[in-house]
Amino acid sequence: MSRISERFKALRTKGETGLVTYVTAGDPDLERSAGIIKRLDTAGADVIEVGVPFSDPLADGPVIQRATERALAAGTTLPKVLDMLAATRADISAPIVIFSYANPILRMGLAQFVAQAQKAGVDGVLTLDMPPEEGEAFRTAFAGAGIDTIFLLSPTTTVDRIRKASVLGSGFLYGISRLGVTGVRDTVDDSARELAERVKAETKMPLALGFGLSRPEHVKAVGQWAEAAVVGSALVKVIAEHGQTPGLLDEVERYVRWLRN
């Protein structure tokens, strides 16, 4: 059983809603990214998603786009992200998921990426622009290294694709609660519940719901329908606001502990 599956099994046993946190690697720089990831683990994140900065994102809203720009300006690349994770993995207990577009992986070379990701202790990979129908080569390579393949579902995802994603994927399914780009919202969209109901009708695989969540009440609401809530833009915003201050890591930990409570 993978580290991701073990974490979701433990959450189910305890009857708790999981918290999945997203950060952009290299924002504000790789050294502080390592510290941020450690603090996320200390604060109780159940899964840590590490975003690989990419110059041509499709679904990222302005907050994550600016984080990506800062990370690229700091010289962040996919190989450097994996080196950073390899150096910090022993200090982190939570599962780590690489969040990337296909281009950086293909540019690095799929075989080389898989080898380095395995060495770095990566537990799962979510390739944002890789649908289940086209992800066989990635899935086979990841599975051979014991890495979970995580697929993205949206409110418009068909039943057929939900079934494919649950059969071909592993670890958990990532559901985006609304259409459009990432960004903080005041409320959880009704489409989140509707998507969760459709997914749950087709598979028993754990579901994590995200896009726009930023407060403890959002996490609580998502817990009614899914196994975990994903917080991304709101956390990246905290990093942006405190990135150049000595209190950055404390602010990150404080925010995640607040979400968990």
Side-chain angles (χ1 to χ4, degrees):
M1 182 180 292
S2 71
R3 193 160 14 210
I4 293 174
S5 296
E6 288 176 351
R7 181 57 60 100
F8 277 102
K9 181 181 178 180
L11 288 167
R12 188 179 301 114
T13 299
K14 292 184 289 186
E16 295 180 358
T17 301
L19 178 63
V20 180
T21 57
Y22 168 91
V23 292
T24 301
D27 178 34
D29 54 53
L30 280 171
E31 181 179 354
R32 281 178 285 184
S33 282
I36 288 168
I37 292 170
K38 291 176 184 178
R39 287 296 187 98
L40 294 176
D41 187 53
T42 300
D46 291 294
V47 177
I48 299 172
E49 290 180 344
V50 178
V52 176
F54 178 51
S55 58
D56 298 292
L58 300 174
D60 296 339
V63 172
I64 294 180
Q65 282 192 30
R66 286 193 289 269
T68 292
E69 290 167 2
R70 291 191 295 270
L72 290 173
T76 306
T77 62
L78 177 53
K80 290 181 180 179
V81 172
L82 294 174
D83 288 342
M84 180 269 290
L85 291 176
T88 58
R89 192 64 181 93
D91 299 320
I92 301 165
S93 62
I96 292 176
V97 173
I98 287 286
F99 214 75
S100 179
Y101 290 94
N103 185 282
I105 295 175
L106 293 173
R107 183 176 180 180
M108 182 176 179
L110 180 57
Q112 184 178 351
F113 167 74
V114 170
Q116 288 194 224
Q118 184 183 40
K119 183 179 179 181
V122 170
D123 300 288
V125 177
L126 194 161
T127 312
L128 286 119
D129 49 352
M130 183 68 70
E133 297 88 345
E134 299 176 16
E136 184 62 32
F138 276 41
R139 186 186 74 87
T140 300
F142 297 160
I147 297 172
D148 285 322
T149 302
I150 299 160
F151 287 113
L152 197 66
L153 306 175
S154 78
T156 58
T157 299
T158 64
V159 170
D160 183 57
R161 180 168 284 181
I162 290 172
R163 290 171 179 167
K164 282 189 173 71
S166 64
V167 170
L168 297 176
S170 57
F172 66 95
L173 295 169
Y174 184 116
I176 58 175
S177 61
R178 57 181 174 77
L179 298 177
V181 297
T182 59
V184 175
R185 294 292 187 273
D186 291 331
T187 59
V188 180
D189 287 17
D190 289 339
S191 55
R193 174 183 53 80
E194 295 165 1
L195 173 61
E197 289 175 348
R198 292 202 298 124
V199 172
K200 292 302 179 182
E202 302 300 331
T203 179
K204 296 185 181 300
M205 187 180 294
L207 173 66
L209 283 175
F211 262 48
L213 310 184
S214 62
R215 299 199 292 263
E217 55 265 36
H218 295 165
V219 176
K220 182 178 180 181
V222 164
Q224 301 174 79
W225 320 306
E227 283 74 18
V230 184
V231 176
S233 292
L235 175 57
V236 173
K237 186 177 180 182
V238 171
I239 295 169
E241 291 172 349
H242 300 279
Q244 302 304 319
T245 70
L248 169 62
L249 300 184
D250 290 338
E251 290 295 333
V252 166
E253 182 172 345
R254 181 200 62 79
Y255 179 65
V256 174
R257 288 190 183 279
W258 177 66
L259 289 173
R260 287 220 58 90
N261 291 331

